[in-house]
Amino acid sequence: MSLTEPEHPFAEFIKILGKGKKGSRPLTQDEAYRAMKMILADQVQPIQLGAFLMLMRVKEETCEELAGFVSAAKESFPHSPSIPVDLDWSSYAGKRRHLPWFLLSTFLLAENGIKVFMHGAGGHTQGRLYTEKVLETLGVPAAHSMAEAEQQLSTSNFSYLSLQHICPMLYDMVNLRPVMGLRSPVHTLVRLLNPMQASHSIQGIFHPSYRQVHQKAALLLGERNMAVLKGEGGETERNPDVDCLVQSVGNGELIDELWPALFARRHMKADQLDPQQLASLWQGQWEDEFAEATVIGTTAVALKLLGRADNQTAAHGLAGDLWLNRNRARLSGG
Protein backbone atom coordinates (compact mmCIF):
# COMPACT_ATOMS: atom_id res chain seq x y z
CA MET A 1 0.00 0.00 0.00
CA SER A 2 1.49 3.33 -1.07
CA LEU A 3 1.65 6.21 1.41
CA THR A 4 2.08 8.72 -1.41
CA GLU A 5 -0.76 11.25 -1.74
CA PRO A 6 -2.50 11.11 -5.14
CA GLU A 7 -1.76 14.15 -7.28
CA HIS A 8 -4.38 16.88 -7.14
CA PRO A 9 -6.21 17.19 -10.51
CA PHE A 10 -5.38 20.90 -10.78
CA ALA A 11 -1.66 20.16 -10.55
CA GLU A 12 -1.83 19.23 -14.25
CA PHE A 13 -2.21 22.89 -15.22
CA ILE A 14 0.48 24.19 -12.84
CA LYS A 15 2.93 21.65 -14.28
CA ILE A 16 2.19 22.74 -17.86
CA LEU A 17 2.97 26.37 -16.98
CA GLY A 18 5.80 25.81 -14.52
CA LYS A 19 8.19 23.24 -16.03
CA GLY A 20 10.88 25.80 -16.75
CA LYS A 21 12.01 27.55 -19.94
CA LYS A 22 12.22 24.38 -22.04
CA GLY A 23 9.47 22.25 -20.52
CA SER A 24 6.67 24.78 -20.02
CA ARG A 25 4.12 25.85 -22.61
CA PRO A 26 0.87 27.86 -22.78
CA LEU A 27 -2.42 26.15 -22.02
CA THR A 28 -4.63 25.19 -24.92
CA GLN A 29 -8.08 26.80 -25.04
CA ASP A 30 -9.63 23.62 -23.66
CA GLU A 31 -7.07 23.34 -20.85
CA ALA A 32 -7.66 26.98 -19.89
CA TYR A 33 -11.40 26.31 -19.91
CA ARG A 34 -11.04 23.26 -17.66
CA ALA A 35 -8.67 25.09 -15.29
CA MET A 36 -11.06 28.01 -14.84
CA LYS A 37 -14.02 25.65 -14.41
CA MET A 38 -12.19 24.04 -11.47
CA ILE A 39 -11.27 27.42 -10.00
CA LEU A 40 -14.84 28.73 -10.16
CA ALA A 41 -16.18 25.44 -8.76
CA ASP A 42 -13.90 26.00 -5.72
CA GLN A 43 -12.01 22.78 -6.44
CA VAL A 44 -8.58 24.41 -6.12
CA GLN A 45 -6.50 24.98 -3.01
CA PRO A 46 -5.49 28.61 -2.26
CA ILE A 47 -1.78 27.84 -2.73
CA GLN A 48 -2.56 26.33 -6.13
CA LEU A 49 -4.55 29.36 -7.18
CA GLY A 50 -1.75 31.72 -6.19
CA ALA A 51 0.85 29.66 -8.05
CA PHE A 52 -1.35 29.40 -11.13
CA LEU A 53 -2.15 33.11 -11.29
CA MET A 54 1.47 34.17 -10.88
CA LEU A 55 2.82 31.64 -13.40
CA MET A 56 0.27 33.04 -15.85
CA ARG A 57 1.32 36.57 -14.94
CA VAL A 58 5.01 35.90 -15.64
CA LYS A 59 4.22 34.15 -18.94
CA GLU A 60 1.36 36.51 -19.98
CA GLU A 61 -1.92 35.21 -21.38
CA THR A 62 -2.42 34.00 -24.93
CA CYS A 63 -5.65 34.64 -26.82
CA GLU A 64 -6.50 30.92 -26.58
CA GLU A 65 -6.06 30.95 -22.80
CA LEU A 66 -8.21 34.05 -22.45
CA ALA A 67 -10.94 32.55 -24.60
CA GLY A 68 -10.94 29.39 -22.49
CA PHE A 69 -11.06 31.34 -19.21
CA VAL A 70 -13.90 33.57 -20.43
CA SER A 71 -15.95 30.63 -21.74
CA ALA A 72 -15.76 28.95 -18.32
CA ALA A 73 -16.63 32.19 -16.52
CA LYS A 74 -19.67 32.81 -18.73
CA GLU A 75 -21.04 29.36 -17.86
CA SER A 76 -20.92 30.27 -14.17
CA PHE A 77 -23.27 33.26 -14.50
CA PRO A 78 -26.56 32.53 -12.71
CA HIS A 79 -28.67 34.85 -14.89
CA SER A 80 -29.44 34.81 -18.60
CA PRO A 81 -30.23 38.26 -20.02
CA SER A 82 -33.78 38.78 -21.27
CA ILE A 83 -33.40 42.13 -23.07
CA PRO A 84 -31.20 43.09 -26.04
CA VAL A 85 -28.21 45.26 -25.06
CA ASP A 86 -26.29 47.33 -27.59
CA LEU A 87 -22.93 47.94 -25.97
CA ASP A 88 -20.88 46.17 -23.29
CA TRP A 89 -18.42 48.58 -21.63
CA SER A 90 -15.87 47.24 -19.13
CA SER A 91 -14.40 49.53 -16.45
CA TYR A 92 -11.79 47.92 -14.22
CA ALA A 93 -8.66 50.09 -14.23
CA GLY A 94 -9.68 53.22 -12.34
CA LYS A 95 -8.29 56.67 -13.14
CA ARG A 96 -5.21 58.35 -11.68
CA ARG A 97 -4.19 61.22 -13.99
CA HIS A 98 -7.51 62.39 -15.37
CA LEU A 99 -11.18 62.13 -14.43
CA PRO A 100 -13.26 59.33 -16.04
CA TRP A 101 -14.65 61.50 -18.82
CA PHE A 102 -15.72 58.34 -20.65
CA LEU A 103 -18.72 58.15 -18.30
CA LEU A 104 -20.17 61.18 -20.06
CA SER A 105 -19.71 59.33 -23.36
CA THR A 106 -21.83 56.46 -22.06
CA PHE A 107 -24.53 58.89 -20.85
CA LEU A 108 -24.50 60.57 -24.25
CA LEU A 109 -25.00 57.25 -26.01
CA ALA A 110 -27.70 56.20 -23.54
CA GLU A 111 -29.81 59.31 -23.97
CA ASN A 112 -29.71 58.70 -27.73
CA GLY A 113 -31.28 55.27 -27.50
CA ILE A 114 -28.19 53.04 -27.11
CA LYS A 115 -28.37 50.57 -24.23
CA VAL A 116 -24.97 50.59 -22.47
CA PHE A 117 -24.15 47.98 -19.84
CA MET A 118 -21.04 48.73 -17.79
CA HIS A 119 -19.35 46.31 -15.40
CA GLY A 120 -16.29 46.80 -13.23
CA ALA A 121 -14.61 46.42 -9.86
CA GLY A 122 -13.17 49.13 -7.67
CA GLY A 123 -10.71 49.54 -4.84
CA HIS A 124 -8.11 46.94 -5.81
CA THR A 125 -5.34 49.48 -6.55
CA GLN A 126 -4.53 52.30 -4.16
CA GLY A 127 -4.61 55.87 -5.42
CA ARG A 128 -7.10 55.33 -8.23
CA LEU A 129 -10.58 56.75 -8.73
CA TYR A 130 -13.06 54.01 -9.62
CA THR A 131 -16.24 54.24 -11.67
CA GLU A 132 -18.63 53.03 -8.97
CA LYS A 133 -17.59 55.83 -6.58
CA VAL A 134 -17.82 58.47 -9.30
CA LEU A 135 -21.32 57.33 -10.29
CA GLU A 136 -22.35 57.55 -6.64
CA THR A 137 -21.05 61.13 -6.49
CA LEU A 138 -23.01 61.99 -9.63
CA GLY A 139 -26.23 60.57 -8.19
CA VAL A 140 -26.33 57.62 -10.63
CA PRO A 141 -27.24 54.46 -8.66
CA ALA A 142 -25.41 51.25 -9.44
CA ALA A 143 -27.40 48.04 -9.87
CA HIS A 144 -27.03 45.23 -7.34
CA SER A 145 -28.09 42.29 -9.50
CA MET A 146 -28.37 41.33 -13.16
CA ALA A 147 -32.15 41.65 -12.90
CA GLU A 148 -31.87 45.19 -11.50
CA ALA A 149 -29.37 46.05 -14.23
CA GLU A 150 -31.90 44.96 -16.85
CA GLN A 151 -34.51 47.15 -15.19
CA GLN A 152 -32.19 50.17 -15.32
CA LEU A 153 -31.34 49.45 -18.95
CA SER A 154 -35.03 49.33 -19.79
CA THR A 155 -35.78 52.67 -18.13
CA SER A 156 -32.63 54.74 -18.72
CA ASN A 157 -30.51 52.79 -21.27
CA PHE A 158 -27.55 52.71 -18.84
CA SER A 159 -26.56 50.45 -15.98
CA TYR A 160 -23.42 49.81 -13.97
CA LEU A 161 -23.07 46.51 -12.13
CA SER A 162 -20.10 45.48 -10.02
CA LEU A 163 -18.38 42.20 -10.85
CA GLN A 164 -19.17 41.28 -7.24
CA HIS A 165 -22.80 40.69 -8.31
CA ILE A 166 -21.92 38.93 -11.57
CA CYS A 167 -19.24 36.46 -10.46
CA PRO A 168 -18.17 36.84 -6.80
CA MET A 169 -15.20 34.48 -7.18
CA LEU A 170 -13.71 36.52 -10.03
CA TYR A 171 -14.32 39.65 -7.99
CA ASP A 172 -12.37 38.15 -5.09
CA MET A 173 -9.52 37.23 -7.45
CA VAL A 174 -9.36 40.76 -8.87
CA ASN A 175 -9.03 42.00 -5.31
CA LEU A 176 -5.96 39.81 -4.73
CA ARG A 177 -4.03 42.61 -6.49
CA PRO A 178 -2.76 44.22 -3.23
CA VAL A 179 -1.97 40.77 -1.77
CA MET A 180 0.08 39.62 -4.76
CA GLY A 181 1.50 43.04 -5.61
CA LEU A 182 0.74 42.32 -9.28
CA ARG A 183 -2.25 42.11 -11.57
CA SER A 184 -3.24 38.64 -12.75
CA PRO A 185 -4.94 37.17 -15.86
CA VAL A 186 -8.25 37.82 -14.12
CA HIS A 187 -7.80 41.57 -14.72
CA THR A 188 -7.67 40.78 -18.42
CA LEU A 189 -10.41 38.18 -18.74
CA VAL A 190 -13.05 40.23 -16.86
CA ARG A 191 -12.92 42.86 -19.61
CA LEU A 192 -14.05 40.22 -22.11
CA LEU A 193 -16.98 38.84 -20.12
CA ASN A 194 -19.85 40.68 -21.86
CA PRO A 195 -22.30 39.35 -19.22
CA MET A 196 -25.42 40.79 -20.91
CA GLN A 197 -24.46 39.30 -24.29
CA ALA A 198 -24.48 42.75 -25.88
CA SER A 199 -24.28 42.86 -29.66
CA HIS A 200 -21.19 45.11 -29.45
CA SER A 201 -18.43 45.45 -26.83
CA ILE A 202 -15.64 47.95 -26.21
CA GLN A 203 -12.61 47.57 -23.94
CA GLY A 204 -9.70 49.67 -22.80
CA ILE A 205 -6.27 48.32 -21.90
CA PHE A 206 -3.07 49.93 -20.61
CA HIS A 207 -0.33 47.83 -22.21
CA PRO A 208 -0.46 48.07 -26.04
CA SER A 209 0.59 44.43 -26.49
CA TYR A 210 -2.73 43.33 -25.00
CA ARG A 211 -4.78 44.98 -27.75
CA GLN A 212 -4.22 42.13 -30.21
CA VAL A 213 -4.65 39.47 -27.52
CA HIS A 214 -8.10 40.89 -26.68
CA GLN A 215 -8.95 41.23 -30.36
CA LYS A 216 -8.08 37.62 -31.21
CA ALA A 217 -9.65 36.22 -28.03
CA ALA A 218 -12.91 37.98 -28.94
CA LEU A 219 -12.76 36.33 -32.36
CA LEU A 220 -12.28 32.90 -30.74
CA LEU A 221 -15.25 33.61 -28.47
CA GLY A 222 -17.46 34.33 -31.47
CA GLU A 223 -17.85 38.04 -30.76
CA ARG A 224 -19.05 39.71 -33.96
CA ASN A 225 -18.43 43.36 -33.11
CA MET A 226 -15.87 44.44 -30.51
CA ALA A 227 -13.17 47.08 -30.22
CA VAL A 228 -10.16 47.46 -27.94
CA LEU A 229 -7.94 50.50 -27.52
CA LYS A 230 -5.10 51.69 -25.32
CA GLY A 231 -7.28 53.80 -23.08
CA GLU A 232 -6.24 56.65 -20.82
CA GLY A 233 -5.11 55.01 -17.59
CA GLY A 234 -6.27 51.64 -18.91
CA GLU A 235 -9.94 52.60 -19.04
CA THR A 236 -12.12 52.57 -22.17
CA GLU A 237 -11.37 56.19 -22.97
CA ARG A 238 -9.69 57.78 -25.97
CA ASN A 239 -6.93 60.24 -25.04
CA PRO A 240 -7.29 63.15 -27.50
CA ASP A 241 -3.64 64.14 -27.04
CA VAL A 242 -2.24 61.02 -28.74
CA ASP A 243 -2.91 58.82 -31.76
CA CYS A 244 -5.27 55.98 -30.87
CA LEU A 245 -5.04 52.57 -32.55
CA VAL A 246 -8.37 50.77 -32.34
CA GLN A 247 -8.15 47.04 -33.00
CA SER A 248 -11.50 45.45 -33.55
CA VAL A 249 -13.54 42.52 -34.75
CA GLY A 250 -16.17 43.46 -37.33
CA ASN A 251 -18.50 40.75 -38.58
CA GLY A 252 -15.88 38.11 -37.88
CA GLU A 253 -12.93 39.98 -39.41
CA LEU A 254 -9.91 41.57 -37.68
CA ILE A 255 -9.65 45.32 -38.30
CA ASP A 256 -6.98 47.86 -37.27
CA GLU A 257 -7.78 51.56 -37.49
CA LEU A 258 -5.71 54.56 -36.38
CA TRP A 259 -7.60 57.55 -34.97
CA PRO A 260 -5.24 60.57 -35.03
CA ALA A 261 -4.60 62.87 -32.07
CA LEU A 262 -7.00 65.82 -31.80
CA PHE A 263 -4.42 68.24 -30.37
CA ALA A 264 -0.87 69.10 -31.43
CA ARG A 265 0.36 69.48 -27.86
CA ARG A 266 -0.32 67.46 -24.74
CA HIS A 267 -2.37 68.88 -21.90
CA MET A 268 -1.20 68.97 -18.28
CA LYS A 269 -2.89 66.59 -15.89
CA ALA A 270 -5.19 68.06 -13.26
CA ASP A 271 -3.81 68.87 -9.81
CA GLN A 272 -6.65 66.98 -8.21
CA LEU A 273 -9.53 64.81 -9.40
CA ASP A 274 -12.92 66.23 -8.46
CA PRO A 275 -15.77 64.04 -9.79
CA GLN A 276 -18.18 66.97 -9.48
CA GLN A 277 -16.47 68.43 -12.55
CA LEU A 278 -18.13 65.76 -14.68
CA ALA A 279 -21.53 67.17 -13.70
CA SER A 280 -20.30 70.75 -14.21
CA LEU A 281 -19.03 69.95 -17.70
CA TRP A 282 -22.23 68.10 -18.64
CA GLN A 283 -24.45 70.91 -17.35
CA GLY A 284 -22.41 73.54 -19.21
CA GLN A 285 -21.32 75.31 -16.03
CA TRP A 286 -17.63 74.67 -16.75
CA GLU A 287 -15.64 74.31 -19.97
CA ASP A 288 -12.47 72.37 -20.68
CA GLU A 289 -11.19 71.53 -24.17
CA PHE A 290 -9.39 68.34 -23.13
CA ALA A 291 -12.43 66.97 -21.28
CA GLU A 292 -14.84 67.80 -24.12
CA ALA A 293 -12.51 66.32 -26.75
CA THR A 294 -12.20 63.15 -24.64
CA VAL A 295 -15.97 62.77 -24.39
CA ILE A 296 -16.58 63.47 -28.08
CA GLY A 297 -13.60 61.40 -29.26
CA THR A 298 -14.55 58.39 -27.14
CA THR A 299 -18.18 58.66 -28.24
CA ALA A 300 -17.06 58.77 -31.88
CA VAL A 301 -15.15 55.48 -31.57
CA ALA A 302 -18.23 53.84 -30.00
CA LEU A 303 -20.58 55.22 -32.66
CA LYS A 304 -18.42 53.84 -35.47
CA LEU A 305 -18.25 50.44 -33.75
CA LEU A 306 -22.05 50.47 -33.43
CA GLY A 307 -22.44 51.20 -37.13
CA ARG A 308 -24.02 54.63 -36.53
CA ALA A 309 -21.34 56.23 -38.73
CA ASP A 310 -19.41 54.91 -41.74
CA ASN A 311 -16.12 56.75 -41.16
CA GLN A 312 -14.18 58.74 -38.58
CA THR A 313 -15.26 62.14 -39.89
CA ALA A 314 -18.95 61.21 -39.76
CA ALA A 315 -18.52 59.63 -36.32
CA HIS A 316 -16.86 62.78 -34.93
CA GLY A 317 -19.53 64.98 -36.49
CA LEU A 318 -22.34 62.90 -35.01
CA ALA A 319 -20.65 62.72 -31.59
CA GLY A 320 -20.19 66.51 -31.61
CA ASP A 321 -23.86 67.04 -32.47
CA LEU A 322 -24.98 64.68 -29.70
CA TRP A 323 -22.80 66.58 -27.23
CA LEU A 324 -24.19 69.99 -28.29
CA ASN A 325 -27.78 68.73 -27.99
CA ARG A 326 -27.37 66.78 -24.73
CA ASN A 327 -29.95 67.04 -21.97
CA ARG A 328 -28.01 69.27 -19.59
CA ALA A 329 -30.40 68.55 -16.74
CA ARG A 330 -29.51 64.84 -16.75
CA LEU A 331 -26.91 64.88 -13.95
CA SER A 332 -27.84 66.02 -10.47
CA GLY A 333 -24.25 66.38 -9.34
CA GLY A 334 -24.96 64.25 -6.26
Side-chain angles (χ1 to χ4, degrees), residues 108-318:
L108 203 56
L109 294 167
E111 74 171 29
N112 285 279
I114 295 165
K115 293 190 186 302
V116 182
F117 175 68
M118 182 175 285
H119 50 101
H124 50 79
T125 304
Q126 197 171 6
R128 286 186 174 264
L129 185 62
Y130 287 95
T131 293
E132 194 164 355
K133 289 294 183 185
V134 176
L135 289 173
E136 186 180 323
T137 301
L138 296 175
V140 179
H144 295 91
S145 68
M146 293 283 272
E148 188 181 357
E150 288 191 348
Q151 200 170 42
Q152 290 181 347
L153 286 163
S154 295
T155 55
S156 67
N157 291 332
F158 174 83
S159 182
Y160 173 89
L161 182 64
S162 169
L163 181 65
Q164 184 177 10
H165 305 298
I166 301 169
C167 185
M169 290 195 73
L170 285 179
Y171 178 80
D172 290 343
M173 283 189 273
V174 165
N175 283 288
L176 289 173
R177 168 71 174 80
V179 177
M180 299 291 196
L182 294 167
R183 58 168 291 284
S184 77
V186 182
H187 290 77
T188 306
L189 78 91
V190 290
R191 288 168 160 86
L192 287 153
L193 288 176
N194 191 2
M196 286 286 187
Q197 298 173 27
S199 58
H200 299 72
S201 61
I202 191 166
Q203 300 146 24
I205 49 89
F206 183 76
H207 297 288
S209 61
Y210 274 93
R211 265 192 313 250
Q212 197 171 68
V213 177
H214 278 247
Q215 182 190 32
K216 290 184 176 179
L219 191 64
L220 289 171
L221 287 163
E223 295 280 350
R224 299 292 296 170
N225 299 284
M226 69 78 68
V228 58
L229 61 141
K230 184 185 184 305
E232 204 293 310
E235 284 287 2
T236 310
E237 179 179 280
R238 180 181 169 194
N239 183 341
D241 283 351
V242 296
D243 292 347
C244 178
L245 177 62
V246 177
Q247 295 189 272
S248 58
V249 175
N251 295 316
E253 294 184 4
L254 299 178
I255 303 165
D256 291 1
E257 184 177 21
L258 186 68
W259 294 66
L262 300 177
F263 297 108
R265 295 183 179 179
R266 292 201 179 203
H267 291 76
M268 297 290 288
K269 72 180 183 72
D271 293 331
Q272 59 181 9
L273 302 184
D274 179 7
Q276 291 288 356
Q277 287 186 326
L278 275 84
S280 299
L281 185 76
W282 181 273
Q283 293 166 353
Q285 299 169 356
W286 175 71
E287 292 185 357
D288 183 271
E289 67 171 12
F290 177 86
E292 286 196 17
T294 301
V295 175
I296 293 169
T298 302
T299 304
V301 173
L303 288 169
K304 189 166 185 300
L305 169 69
L306 288 159
R308 304 300 172 99
D310 293 332
N311 55 60
Q312 292 184 18
T313 302
H316 269 287
L318 178 55

Side-chain angles (χ1 to χ4, degrees), residues 47-64:
I47 194 169
Q48 290 179 309
L49 179 61
F52 180 80
L53 293 178
M54 289 301 97
L55 283 168
M56 285 292 306
R57 174 67 179 88
V58 171
K59 181 187 73 63
E60 296 188 351
E61 313 88 274
T62 65
C63 53
E64 290 83 7

Side-chain angles (χ1 to χ4, degrees), residues 106-108 110-111 156 158 282-283 327-332:
T106 66
F107 299 158
L108 203 56
E111 74 171 29
S156 67
F158 174 83
W282 181 273
Q283 293 166 353
N327 173 15
R328 299 187 182 211
R330 178 184 176 102
L331 293 181
S332 68

